[in-house]
C-alpha cells in the first residue's frame, strides 16, 4: 500500500548497517581529557600499518609541560604502542610503556599462520614497526628481533586501573600498586574487548569458543564456525586443512566485510567440498554434539565437536568510561545543558526575527527562549568550570569565543529592537541574523578548508561562502535596496520593480537561490508575478532536475544551498553525531509528507490566483490555502528548518533538517532516483572499517555499499565528500554511471598526499 510501496521504491532497500561504538576523538587523536590520546585499532581503523603510523603521528600533538614527571605513559604494547615508544625514544622523551600481559599479546592470540595484510599499499610509513604482507609468526619474529636490537622502556604485567588528573599532571595507577606521574597518556590497547555473543541456548557449553588459537585443534573433528568477517572466514579456511568437516554459518546473503583474498580462498575450499557454506542462516540452539540452524528454506542440524563463534568483540568501553573518556554519541548532562542553550537560542533567533512581521505572541515566546538560553549557558559554564576546563586547544578557544560573541550580538539587537525601540544600523533582527549566518559560514568555512585539505572541499567551501555572502546576504539586504534608492533599478512602473521586485520586495532575491519548496515564497506569495512563476517552475522542475541527473542531489545541497552551507561549515565537526538507528531511517521519510503538504498548498494558491480570472468561484481555493499556510510557516519554516535544524547542531548533526524534513531535499530524492551520480568503491581493498558510515552527514551506510562493491546510489547523499576523503584505504571515488560506462570526477575529493 502507498506510501509504503513508494518509500520502498525511493530507498530501494538501501543498506542500514549500524555504526560501531568508539571513543570520541579529535583529528589529533585527543580524547575529551586534555593530553590523553588514543591510537591504533581503538580509533576505528583496523589496520596494523596505520596503527603503527599513529604511534609516530601522535607525538606531533602531545603538548609539552615543564615538569619533572614523565612526558608520556603509553598503555599497550601492540604495533601502535611500540611505535609510539620508539618515536618517544627518538625524540628524547621520558616515557614508560605499560603492558597488562606480554608484549604483542593481541598478535600472540591470532590463530596460527594467520595472514597479515600490509594495507594500505600506497602509504610509505616512517614508524620503526614495519608491517609487510606476512603471517602472524613472521610478524612476531620481526617484532621480537627489533626489541632485542633496540630495547625500549617496557614493563609487563602492569594492568592500568585508573588515570587521575590533579589539574597539572596525570597519575596512572596499576593493579600491582605502581603509579606514574606524567604530562600525557597515550592509550594503545586495541579494541578487542569482550566477545559478542549469539544469545542462544547452549552458548555456554564447553565445546563453544570465541577465539581460534590453533587450527590443529580441529583435527579429525566436525567444526561449526559462526560469523561473516575476516576472522570467521580465515578460521574456516585454516580449520579445513585438518578437520573432518567444516561448516561456516553466516546470517547475511554475502560476506560484506571479508577481504578479497580471503573470499577467493573460501570459494576454492567450498568448491573442493572442504567447507560447507550456509548463508542467510541463523543459529537457534547449540547442544553438546549439534548446532541447530534456521535457513531461508528449512531448519538444519549440523554435527559439531567444536563451535567457534567469531562475530566480533566489543571495544573496552567500560574501562574508557571508568577513566572519564567520552564515548561517541553518548550524551552527558553537560551535553544536554549545552543542547538546551543552543536549542533555546535557535528558538529566540527564529521567533525573534519573525516577531516583527508575525503574530504578537512570537515576541514573548522568543523572550522566553532567551531566558532559557541564558540560564542554560550559565549552567553550562558552571558545570564546565566544576568539571575542569583544562588546557584549551587554539581552535576550540577561537570557536567558543566566536559563538559566545555571536550569541551576545544577537541578544543585544533583539532586546534593543523589542524593548528599547533601538535598531542597530536601522536594521531589524532578521538582518543581523542573516549577517551572523553568513559570517559563521565564512569563519567555519575557512577552518574547514584549512583542516580538510582536498581540492574538492576547497572549491566546494568557496562556493558555499560566496553564494551565502553575496546572493543570500549582500544582494537582497544591501545591494538591491541601495540600487533601488539610487534609481538604478528603473522607475516604479518598470519591469524590474513590478515583475521581479514588486513593491520593492527585494527579499524576493532569496528566491534566485532558495528554490521552491525550500522557499515557498517563490511560488506562494501575495505578489506572484509572471516572472517568479516562470522562474520558480524552471528552477525547481527544470534546472535542479538536470543538475541532480548529472551530479546528484549534492550538487545543490552541498554546493549551493544555505542550509548545506551552514551544515558543512559550522556542522563539520559534528557529522559523526548523525543518528543511524532504525528510528532515524524511518524518520527520514518525514520530508515526503512535508513535500506533499507544500505541493497541496501551492497548487491551491495558484489555482485560486489564476483560476479566479476564469471562474471567480475558484477564489475559495486561495482562501483555503491562506487559512492553512500560517500553520505550515510556523511548523516547517520556523520550527523544523530553524529551531530544530539549528538547535540540534551540537547534540546530533547539522544535517538533521536536510535529511529528515526538508521538502526540497525530498523533491530531489525523486530526481535522484534517475541520477547518473554514484560513489564507486574498490571492493577488494575495502577493509570494512565503518569510517565512511560513521562520518556520513546523512546517516547513509556507505560501508554497506563499499564492502560489496556496489556503486552507491542513495538519494540522501549530499556529496559532502567526507566518506571519500576520510577512507584510510582510498577505495571510494565520485563519478557517473552512464550507458557508455563509468566516468570518474576530475575534481579530486581525496586527501592530498
Amino acid at each position: 500500500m502507498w506510501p509504503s510501496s513508494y518509500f520502498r521504491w525511493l530507498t530501494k532497500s538501501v543498506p542500514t548497517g549500524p555504526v560501531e561504538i568508539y571513543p570520541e576523538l579529535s583529528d589529533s587523536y585527543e580524547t575529551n581529557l586534555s593530553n590523553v590520546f588514543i591510537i591504533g585499532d581503538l580509533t576505528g581503523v583496523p589496520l596494523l600499518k596505520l596503527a603503527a603510523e599513529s604511534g609516530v603521528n601522535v607525538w606531533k600533538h602531545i603538548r609539552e609541560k615543564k615538569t619533572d614527571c614523565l612526558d608520556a605513559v603509553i598503555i599497550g604494547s601492540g604495533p601502535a604502542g611500540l611505535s609510539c615508544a620508539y618515536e618517544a625514544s627518538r625524540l628524547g622523551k621520558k616515557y614508560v610503556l605499560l603492558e597488562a600481559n606480554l608484549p604483542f599479546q593481541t598478535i600472540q592470540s591470532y590463530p596460527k599462520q594467520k595472514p597479515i595484510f600490509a594495507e594500505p599499499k600506497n602509504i610509505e610509513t616512517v614508524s620503526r614497526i614495519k608491517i609487510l604482507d606476512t603471517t602472524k609468526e613472521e610478524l612476531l619474529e620481526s617484532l621480537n628481533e627489533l626489541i632485542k636490537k633496540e630495547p625500549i622502556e617496557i614493563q609487563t604485567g602492569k594492568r592500568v586501573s585508573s588515570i587521575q588528573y590533579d589539574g597539572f599532571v596525570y597519575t596512572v595507577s596499576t593493579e600491582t600498586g605502581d603509579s606514574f606521574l606524567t604530562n600525557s597518556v597515550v592509550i594503545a590497547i586495541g579494541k578487542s574487548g569482550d566477545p559478542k555473543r549469539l544469545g542462544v541456548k547452549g552458548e555456554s557449553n564447553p565445546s563453544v569458543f570465541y577465539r581460534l588459537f590453533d587450527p590443529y585443534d580441529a583435527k579429525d573433528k566436525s567444526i561449526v564456525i559462526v560469523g561473516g568477517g575476516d576472522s570467521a572466514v580465515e578460521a574456516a579456511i585454516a580449520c579445513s586443512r585438518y578437520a573432518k568437516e567444516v561448516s561456516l554459518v553466516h546470517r547475511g546473503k554475502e560476506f560484506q566485510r571479508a577481504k578479497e583474498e580471503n573470499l577467493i580462498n573460501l570459494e576454492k575450499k567450498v568448491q573442493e567440498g572442504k567447507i560447507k557454506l550456509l548463508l542467510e542462516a541463523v543459529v537457534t540452539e547449540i547442544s553438546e554434539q549439534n548446532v541447530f540452524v534456521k535457513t531461508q528454506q528449512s531448519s538444519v542440524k549440523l554435527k559439531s565437536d567444536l563451535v567457534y563463534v567469531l562475530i566480533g568483540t566489543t571495544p573496552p568501553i567500560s574501562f574508557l568510561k571508568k577513566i572519564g573518556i567520552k564515548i561517541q554519541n553518548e550524551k552527558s548532562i553537560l551535553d544536554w545543558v549545552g543542547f538546551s542553550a543552543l536549542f533555546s537560542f535557535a528558538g529566540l533567533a527564529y521567533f525573534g526575527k519573525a516577531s516583527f512581521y508575525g503574530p504578537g505572541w512570537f515576541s514573548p515566546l522568543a523572550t522566553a527562549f532567551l531566558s532559557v538560553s541564558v540560564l542554560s549557558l550559565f549552567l553550562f559554564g558552571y558545570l564546565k568550570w566544576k568539571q575542569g576546563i583544562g588546557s584549551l586547544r587554539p581552535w576550540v578557544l577561537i570557536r567558543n569565543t566566536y559563538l559566545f560573541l555571536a550569541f551576545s550580538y544577537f541578544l543585544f539587537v533583539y532586546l534593543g529592537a523589542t524593548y528599547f525601540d533601538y535598531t542597530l544600523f536601522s536594521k531589524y533582527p532578521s538582518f543581523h541574523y542573516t549577517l551572523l549566518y553568513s559570517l559563521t559560514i565564512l569563519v567555519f568555512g575557512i577552518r574547514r578548508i584549512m583542516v580538510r585539505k582536498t581540492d574538492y572541499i576547497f572549491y566546494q567551501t568557496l562556493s558555499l561562502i560566496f553564494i551565502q555572502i553575496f546572493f543570500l546576504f549582500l544582494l537582497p539586504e544591501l545591494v538591491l535596496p541601495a540600487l533601488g534608492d539610487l534609481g538604478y533599478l528603473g522607475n516604479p512602473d518598470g519591469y524590474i520593480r513590478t515583475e521581479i521586485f514588486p513593491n520593492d520586495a527585494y527579499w524576493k532575491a532569496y528566491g534566485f537561490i532558495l528554490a521552491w519548496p525550500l522557499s515557498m515564497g517563490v511560488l506562494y506569495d501575495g505578489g506572484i508575478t509572471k516572472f517568479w512563476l516562470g522562474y520558480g517552475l524552471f528552477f525547481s522542475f527544470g534546472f535542479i532536475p538536470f543538475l541532480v541527473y548529472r551530479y546528484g542531489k549534492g550538487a545543490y545541497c552541498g554546493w549551493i544551498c544555505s542550509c548545506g552551507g551552514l551544515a558543512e561549515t559550522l556542522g563539520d565537526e559534528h557529522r559523526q553525531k548523525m543518528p543511524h538507528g532504525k528510528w532515524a531511517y524511518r524518520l527520514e521519510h518525514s520530508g515526503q509528507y512535508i513535500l506533499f503538504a507544500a505541493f497541496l498548498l501551492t497548487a491551491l494558491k495558484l489555482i485560486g490566483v489564476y483560476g479566479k480570472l476564469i471562474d471567480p468561484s475558484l477564489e475559495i481555493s486561495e482562501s483555503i490555502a491562506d487559512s492553512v499556510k500560517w500553520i505550515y510557516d510556523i511548523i516547517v519554516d520556523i520550527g523544523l528548518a530553524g529551531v530544530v535544524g539549528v538547535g540540534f547542531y551540537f547534540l546530533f548533526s547539522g544535517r538533521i533538517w536536510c535529511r529528515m524534513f526538508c521538502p526540497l531535499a525530498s523533491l530531489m530524492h525523486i530526481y535522484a532516483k534517475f541520477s547518473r551520480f554514484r560513489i564507486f568503491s574498490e571492493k577488494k581493498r575495502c577493509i570494512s572499517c565503518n569510517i565512511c558510515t560513521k562520518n556520513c552527514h546523512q546517516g547513509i551506510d556507505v560501508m554497506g555499499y563499499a564492502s560489496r562493491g556496489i556503486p552507491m546510489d542513495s538519494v540522501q547523499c549530499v556529496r559532502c565528500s567526507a566518506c571519500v576523503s576520510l577512507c584510510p584505504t582510498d577505495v571510494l571515488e565520485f563519478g557517473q554511471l552512464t550507458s557508455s560506462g563509468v566516468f570518474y570526477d576530475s575534481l579530486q575529493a581525496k586527501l592530498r598526499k
Side-chain angles (χ1 to χ4, degrees):
M1 289 292 292
W2 190 93
S4 297
S5 58
Y6 169 69
F7 290 148
R8 283 196 297 271
W9 169 79
L10 200 63
T11 57
K12 196 182 177 181
S13 301
V14 298
T16 55
V19 174
E20 295 185 14
I21 300 174
Y22 288 101
E24 189 172 286
L25 304 177
S26 69
D27 294 334
S28 58
Y29 310 104
E30 192 167 16
T31 67
N32 58 298
L33 304 179
S34 178
N35 242 21
V36 175
F37 302 83
I38 290 178
I39 59 175
D41 278 3
L42 205 48
T43 63
V45 185
L47 290 172
L48 294 179
K49 193 174 185 179
L50 292 182
E53 202 64 10
S54 67
V56 174
N57 293 332
V58 71
W59 279 103
K60 300 174 183 176
H61 309 290
I62 295 176
R63 294 179 293 280
E64 294 185 8
K65 293 182 181 178
K66 294 182 179 180
T67 62
D68 294 330
C69 60
L70 296 169
D71 292 306
V73 168
I74 304 165
I75 306 173
S77 65
L82 283 174
S83 178
C84 185
Y86 276 114
E87 183 66 8
S89 181
R90 187 187 72 82
L91 295 171
K93 303 295 184 180
K94 295 181 293 183
Y95 74 95
V96 64
L97 175 58
L98 304 179
E99 168 57 54
N101 298 293
L102 296 174
F104 336 124
Q105 183 65 35
T106 300
I107 300 175
Q108 295 271 15
S109 64
Y110 288 168
K112 286 186 176 181
Q113 295 300 311
K114 173 181 169 62
I116 304 297
F117 300 100
E119 295 287 350
K121 305 291 187 186
N122 61 332
I123 291 182
E124 293 295 329
T125 61
V126 297
S127 170
R128 290 292 294 118
I129 308 299
K130 300 301 179 185
I131 305 298
L132 306 173
D133 286 334
T134 183
T135 62
K136 161 195 169 178
E137 287 73 16
E138 291 172 344
L139 176 59
L140 284 173
E141 184 180 350
S142 67
L143 291 175
N144 282 311
E145 187 177 341
L146 177 63
I147 284 187
K148 287 179 183 178
K149 288 183 178 179
E150 302 178 35
I152 55 175
E153 181 62 32
I154 180 170
Q155 297 189 25
T156 58
K158 304 292 185 183
R159 184 180 298 277
V160 173
S161 57
S162 68
I163 300 174
Q164 296 179 329
Y165 187 58
D166 64 4
F168 298 96
V169 296
Y170 286 97
T171 302
V172 178
S173 302
T174 69
E175 292 180 354
T176 55
D178 301 287
S179 62
F180 304 87
L181 293 178
T182 178
N183 291 322
S184 65
V185 180
V186 180
I187 300 173
I189 58 178
K191 66 175 184 179
S192 296
D194 296 328
K196 294 180 180 177
R197 304 177 76 86
L198 294 171
V200 299
K201 182 180 178 181
E203 194 172 9
S204 299
N205 290 344
S207 60
V208 180
F209 299 89
Y210 294 89
R211 178 171 287 170
L212 174 66
F213 292 98
D214 190 346
Y216 191 76
D217 294 339
K219 184 172 175 58
D220 300 328
K221 292 184 174 70
S222 296
I223 307 298
V224 175
I225 298 172
V226 184
D230 278 315
S231 296
V233 173
E234 289 170 1
I237 295 170
C239 288
S240 68
R241 303 189 188 104
Y242 309 101
K244 181 169 61 176
E245 58 181 338
V246 176
S247 299
L248 178 57
V249 180
H250 177 39
R251 65 182 179 180
K253 293 182 180 180
E254 56 189 24
F255 295 92
Q256 297 184 15
R257 298 195 173 197
K259 295 183 179 68
E260 189 73 15
E261 295 92 330
N262 286 332
L263 293 180
I264 293 172
N265 291 331
L266 174 64
E267 186 177 355
K268 182 189 292 186
K269 295 289 184 180
V270 171
Q271 290 175 351
E272 293 173 355
K274 294 184 177 181
I275 296 177
K276 180 180 180 180
L277 183 60
L278 289 85
L279 296 176
E280 295 185 90
V282 179
V283 174
T284 57
E285 184 181 344
I286 301 174
S287 68
E288 291 184 3
Q289 296 181 341
N290 297 286
V291 174
F292 297 89
V293 178
K294 184 178 181 180
T295 68
Q296 294 281 39
Q297 292 76 31
S298 62
S299 295
V300 179
K301 182 172 70 172
L302 302 174
K303 181 173 174 52
S304 62
D305 297 311
L306 293 175
V307 179
Y308 292 101
V309 179
L310 306 176
I311 57 176
T313 58
T314 57
I317 298 300
S318 58
F319 169 73
L320 298 176
K321 287 182 178 179
K322 178 183 175 183
I323 61 179
I325 290 177
K326 190 174 181 181
I327 307 303
Q328 285 177 349
N329 296 335
E330 273 202 352
K331 312 305 180 189
S332 64
I333 294 178
L334 196 65
D335 292 321
W336 286 109
V337 172
F339 166 69
S340 174
L342 180 62
F343 187 83
S344 50
F345 171 73
L348 157 68
Y350 280 88
F351 281 101
K353 68 190 184 74
S355 64
F356 294 87
Y357 318 102
W361 56 271
F362 274 20
S363 184
L365 179 61
T367 303
F369 273 123
L370 183 154
S371 302
V372 174
S373 185
V374 171
L375 290 173
S376 299
L377 194 61
F378 274 112
L379 180 58
F380 182 86
Y382 169 74
L383 291 175
K384 194 71 175 174
W385 172 78
K386 190 176 180 181
Q387 183 186 72
I389 297 176
S391 57
L392 284 176
R393 298 185 295 275
W395 164 245
V396 174
L397 184 60
I398 294 171
R399 179 192 66 195
N400 294 346
T401 301
Y402 171 82
L403 292 174
F404 179 75
L405 291 176
F407 172 81
S408 303
Y409 179 90
F410 190 81
L411 233 62
F412 173 75
V413 297
Y414 170 74
L415 291 173
T418 304
Y419 297 104
F420 301 99
D421 198 28
Y422 171 74
T423 52
L424 184 63
F425 307 136
S426 300
K427 299 289 185 180
Y428 284 121
S430 58
F431 169 88
H432 297 284
Y433 177 82
T434 307
L435 168 64
L436 289 173
Y437 196 101
S438 303
L439 185 61
T440 300
I441 288 179
L442 174 64
V443 170
F444 287 83
I446 293 172
R447 181 259 174 195
R448 185 181 187 228
I449 289 173
M450 294 174 65
V451 173
R452 316 288 184 196
K453 299 181 184 298
T454 74
D455 293 336
Y456 182 91
I457 286 177
F458 176 78
Y459 290 109
Q460 179 202 34
T461 310
L462 284 184
S463 172
L464 291 170
I465 291 173
F466 172 73
I467 289 174
Q468 174 61 41
I469 291 178
F470 181 75
F471 286 104
L472 298 176
F473 175 59
L474 294 178
L475 187 65
E477 299 291 346
L478 296 174
V479 175
L480 288 172
L483 292 176
D485 291 342
L486 294 172
Y488 292 130
L489 298 181
N491 59 61
D493 298 326
Y495 183 82
I496 292 178
R497 296 177 69 178
T498 57
E499 282 289 319
I500 303 178
F501 307 115
N503 300 317
D504 293 339
Y506 300 120
W507 59 266
K508 280 183 170 290
Y510 286 104
F512 288 130
I513 299 298
L514 304 180
W516 179 93
L518 175 61
S519 174
M520 287 284 281
V522 175
L523 294 176
Y524 190 114
D525 181 69
I528 294 175
T529 63
K530 293 179 181 178
F531 171 83
W532 283 110
L533 180 64
Y535 180 84
L537 293 173
F538 166 75
F539 195 22
S540 296
F541 302 102
F543 177 72
I544 289 181
F546 171 76
L547 202 63
V548 174
Y549 171 72
R550 290 292 300 272
Y551 307 108
K553 164 189 161 188
Y556 182 87
C557 287
W559 283 71
I560 297 173
C561 181
S562 62
C563 306
L566 195 66
E568 294 304 328
T569 52
L570 177 63
D572 181 61
E573 297 176 87
H574 307 277
R575 61 180 67 250
Q576 294 182 357
K577 297 179 180 179
M578 174 59 76
H580 286 76
K582 291 183 179 179
W583 69 269
Y585 291 118
R586 288 195 296 267
L587 188 61
E588 66 183 23
H589 294 312
S590 303
Q592 296 295 328
Y593 293 104
I594 297 173
L595 172 63
F596 179 74
F599 175 81
L600 194 61
L601 284 172
T602 304
L604 287 172
K605 180 70 172 182
L606 293 177
I607 289 172
V609 170
Y610 294 101
K612 67 184 178 184
L613 301 177
I614 302 172
D615 183 353
S617 65
L618 291 177
E619 186 175 7
I620 193 174
S621 175
E622 183 179 7
S623 300
I624 293 172
D626 289 342
S627 66
V628 178
K629 175 64 163 49
W630 69 274
I631 301 176
Y632 180 94
D633 290 341
I634 294 174
I635 295 176
V636 179
D637 289 347
I638 297 177
L640 295 175
V643 180
V644 172
V646 175
F648 275 65
Y649 260 63
F650 303 146
L651 188 72
F652 288 116
S653 166
R655 286 282 186 181
I656 288 290
W657 157 253
C658 307
R659 177 188 177 188
M660 309 294 188
F661 309 115
C662 176
L664 177 57
S666 298
L667 178 62
M668 288 190 285
H669 290 168
I670 301 172
Y671 300 154
K673 289 294 296 180
F674 308 97
S675 176
R676 304 192 314 193
F677 169 73
R678 299 288 188 276
I679 298 181
F680 296 95
S681 63
E682 193 175 346
K683 177 184 176 182
K684 65 180 181 180
R685 293 177 54 216
C686 177
I687 59 172
S688 302
C689 62
N690 210 239
I691 286 178
C692 51
T693 296
K694 183 173 69 174
N695 286 280
C696 179
H697 230 161
Q698 291 291 101
I700 303 169
D701 180 17
V702 184
M703 192 195 76
Y705 290 93
S707 59
R708 289 181 289 172
I710 301 173
M712 197 197 80
D713 60 352
S714 172
V715 298
Q716 285 285 1
C717 181
V718 292
R719 288 184 70 118
C720 69
S721 81
C723 60
V724 179
S725 64
L726 295 175
C727 175
T729 51
D730 287 341
V731 303
L732 301 173
E733 193 164 358
F734 287 155
Q736 297 185 34
L737 183 63
T738 71
S739 56
S740 303
V742 174
F743 296 91
Y744 295 105
D745 286 7
S746 57
L747 185 57
Q748 186 59 256
K750 297 178 181 179
L751 285 173
R752 304 185 191 109
K753 301 299 182 183

